[in-house]
Structure formats: structure tokens, C-alpha cells
Amino acid sequence: MLQQEFLKSMRYLAASVSIISAKDSNDKPYAMTASSVTSLTLEPPSILVCVNHDASIHDHLLNDEAKFCVNLLKKNQQDIATLCSIKEKEDQRFEDKNWNLNSVPFLQGSQSNLFCNVKKYLDYETHTIIIGEVYQSHNDDGFDTLMYANGKYL
Ligand SMILES: Cc1cc2nc3c(=O)[nH]c(=O)nc-3n(C[C@H](O)[C@H](O)[C@H](O)COP(=O)(O)O)c2cc1C
């Protein structure tokens, strides 16, 4: 009962949608849709994201050398958000020509790209809270952020 009500409350918690992207030590890229991205501190510019232990990107974020990008999506990027949230479609995620895979993978045409160094990670039950310090950030200035609430994209 409590869990059902909690799930309903979380459906009402409207959130912006990002794709977290990173590479492993063999240069293989990973990407995962995430709504748990939260601004943390301005000094230094830092964010946090909560990643399920089962996500394919998870283990590649857990070292002090790891880097990742938070690609805050625009409304016209809903298809790639879906692709990066369905496990069975993992092998199709990097077919999109808007990926730049030269260094830390990032999605061109996003609302914002925030490049981060992993600073800390905290394990909590099924998830790890990853804290990243932003070392570079760019924005597309027409505000058109993709949102998710009540089981659908808005
Ligand atoms: C809108 C939306 C937001 C999501 N937010 C998160 C999140 O913040 N953290 C997380 O671990 N999974 C989140 N997920 C689920 C993952 O995207 C999904 O489990 C994904 O398949 C995991 O990556 P993998 O397939 O590479 O293992 C979200 C899914 C959707 C549709």
C-alpha cells in the first residue's frame, strides 16, 4: 500500500529527461536515460545522478578517473530517450548520427551538455548516487526541455 502510494507520488514528480553517457576503458560507449539528475552545488559546479546497479553504464562510473556527460534532452529527442531506456535496444543506441564519440560521448543538438568528472559515489540499496563536478557546459538557448511525468513524455 505504502509502495503503491509512493509510486503514484513519483509519477506526479515531473522531471526533466537526460541521457547519461560515458565510455569504458576499452572505448566502448554507454548511454542511459535518467530523470534523477539534480543540481548540487555551484562552487564547484556539481550535479548528482542516481544509477541503478543493473544499468549497463553503472560500473563504468565507479572510479575516480571516470568522466560522463549529462545530455539534457530537448522535446524532439524523445525517440533516443526511449532507445536508452529499453535494455533490449542497447545495441542500437549509438546509431544516431548526433552522437559525438571522439572523447566523452555526447549528443549534439541537446538542450545542454554537462561534462563531469566523477568525484564521489554513494551506494544506497538498488542504486548508486554519483556526484560529478562539471568541467565544461554548453547550452542551446531556446528553452525546449523534454519532461517526463505520469508515465509519459511532455
Ligand atoms: C524517463 C525515464 C527516466 C529514468 N531515470 C532513471 C534514473 O534516473 N536512474 C536509473 O538508474 N534508471 C532510470 N531509468 C531507467 C533506465 O533508463 C533503464 O533501466 C535503462 O534501460 C538502463 O540502462 P541499460 O539498458 O543500459 O542497462 C529511467 C527511465 C525513463 C524512461
Side-chain angles (χ1 to χ4, degrees), residues 32-36 50-52 55-56 84-85 87 93 148 153:
M32 182 195 85
T33 300
S35 58
S36 59
C50 308
V51 181
N52 193 297
S56 58
C84 296
S85 64
K87 214 153 195 83
R93 287 182 192 163
Y148 191 84
Y153 290 100

Side-chain angles (χ1 to χ4, degrees), residues 15-20 30-37 49-58 81-90 93 126-128 146-149 151-153:
S16 55
V17 182
S18 298
I19 290 176
I20 310 303
Y30 295 83
M32 182 195 85
T33 300
S35 58
S36 59
V37 173
V49 56
C50 308
V51 181
N52 193 297
H53 294 168
D54 293 337
S56 58
I57 198 171
H58 178 268
T82 302
L83 209 54
C84 296
S85 64
I86 298 175
K87 214 153 195 83
E88 294 67 36
K89 301 207 166 176
E90 196 184 340
R93 287 182 192 163
T126 51
H127 282 61
T128 304
L146 180 65
M147 305 286 294
Y148 191 84
K152 37 181 200 285
Y153 290 100

Side-chain angles (χ1 to χ4, degrees), residues 20-136:
I20 310 303
S21 48
K23 276 184 181 173
D24 69 13
S25 51
N26 296 316
D27 241 25
K28 182 178 177 208
Y30 295 83
M32 182 195 85
T33 300
S35 58
S36 59
V37 173
T38 302
S39 171
L40 185 58
T41 57
L42 180 59
E43 289 184 14
S46 307
I47 55 105
L48 68 79
V49 56
C50 308
V51 181
N52 193 297
H53 294 168
D54 293 337
S56 58
I57 198 171
H58 178 268
D59 293 357
H60 310 296
L61 297 171
L62 301 192
N63 73 76
D64 296 337
E65 306 295 309
K67 294 178 189 296
F68 64 97
C69 184
V70 174
N71 305 275
L72 179 60
L73 300 184
K74 294 177 85 169
K75 292 201 194 298
N76 66 4
Q77 293 175 304
Q78 189 180 314
D79 288 351
I80 187 121
T82 302
L83 209 54
C84 296
S85 64
I86 298 175
K87 214 153 195 83
E88 294 67 36
K89 301 207 166 176
E90 196 184 340
D91 57 345
Q92 298 171 38
R93 287 182 192 163
F94 290 95
E95 288 172 3
D96 191 306
K97 63 177 177 1
N98 290 307
W99 281 110
N100 181 317
L101 301 175
N102 293 338
S103 177
V104 179
F106 70 97
L107 254 180
Q108 295 163 140
S110 298
Q111 183 73 68
S112 302
N113 302 103
L114 296 128
F115 294 89
C116 302
N117 288 309
V118 171
K119 296 305 265 191
K120 284 198 174 157
Y121 30 92
L122 171 67
D123 205 45
Y124 183 73
E125 303 294 346
T126 51
H127 282 61
T128 304
I129 302 167
I130 314 268
I131 296 178
E133 185 176 325
V134 179
Y135 63 88
Q136 191 185 327

